[in-house]
Amino acid sequence: MGERDVVFLVGFMGSGKSSVGRALATLLRARFEDTDALVEAAAGKPIEAIFRDEGEGRFREMEWDALRSLDGASNAVIATGGGLFLGTAQRAFVRRAGTSVWLDVPLEVARSRAGDCASRPLWRTQDPIAFRAFFERRRAAYALADLRVDASRGSAEEVASRVRLVLNC
């Protein structure tokens, strides 16, 4: 990875973007950023509280602000929120700023990793058909990433090693 390279990890909740991102940053001797953490720091409260108090629309604005705050980043691995790569403008930003890597996991793996996670506002476990449709819509956006890595098995370090291989660095 060169001095100006930026890797954006995209994927569904529970795909390991944050844990793999930390491990990948260590492997690449790069800085690590997490857009969800940036949003929480800016808001001074957790994401679920932003959703509850201000709504998803405000959260998406804050998420977009967090991404734009990373404009010009170099030698960085950036874990994005699960919905960040859905927007056309956000995908264009990522494409211009670096390389996107989709950490792909089946729904069953995401569900087992995240469980019945109340801290994930969009984790709808009540209606399995609606949730499956939600998952598949997001997968269609993630498929637009530059690269894809199977993140369904192995430790964060093992997945990070696979990402490094597909990045050829």
Side-chain angles (χ1 to χ4, degrees):
M1 189 160 132
E3 129 184 4
R4 299 207 44 94
D5 293 333
V6 179
V7 176
F8 293 89
L9 299 179
V10 304
F12 200 70
M13 299 173 257
S15 64
K17 298 178 300 290
S18 296
S19 57
V20 170
R22 280 187 210 87
L24 182 62
T26 298
L27 272 178
L28 300 177
R29 295 191 175 113
R31 166 177 138 211
F32 175 70
E33 296 286 353
D34 186 318
T35 60
D36 282 349
L38 292 173
V39 167
E40 289 183 335
K45 56 185 166 182
I47 290 170
E48 60 270 18
I50 299 167
F51 266 76
R52 182 188 64 240
D53 301 343
E54 303 175 51
E56 183 178 359
R58 178 65 185 129
F59 169 75
R60 295 294 171 210
E61 289 171 14
M62 294 176 76
E63 189 176 50
W64 185 209
D65 289 344
L67 182 63
R68 285 190 298 237
S69 78
L70 299 168
D71 198 13
S74 61
N75 192 32
V77 174
I78 300 168
T80 64
L84 189 69
F85 201 65
L86 303 180
T88 304
Q90 290 81 353
R91 281 194 310 275
F93 177 97
V94 168
R95 183 155 281 121
R96 177 183 56 75
T99 302
S100 55
V101 179
W102 172 24
L103 298 184
D104 188 15
V105 296
L107 179 57
E108 296 70 29
V109 170
R111 189 180 302 281
S112 72
R113 288 181 183 169
D116 222 4
C117 198
S119 68
R120 297 175 188 262
L122 297 178
W123 193 256
R124 298 182 202 124
T125 56
Q126 300 85 351
D127 182 349
I129 294 170
F131 195 74
R132 170 66 73 174
F134 172 70
F135 176 77
E136 294 301 335
R137 278 193 309 276
R138 287 196 168 194
R139 282 179 57 85
Y142 303 146
L144 299 172
D146 297 315
L147 302 167
R148 178 193 165 275
V149 170
D150 178 358
S152 64
R153 59 185 167 64
S155 68
E157 291 75 18
E158 289 167 333
V159 175
S161 292
R162 289 196 296 275
V163 171
R164 185 180 187 184
L165 280 175
V166 301
L167 289 168
N168 293 315
C169 55

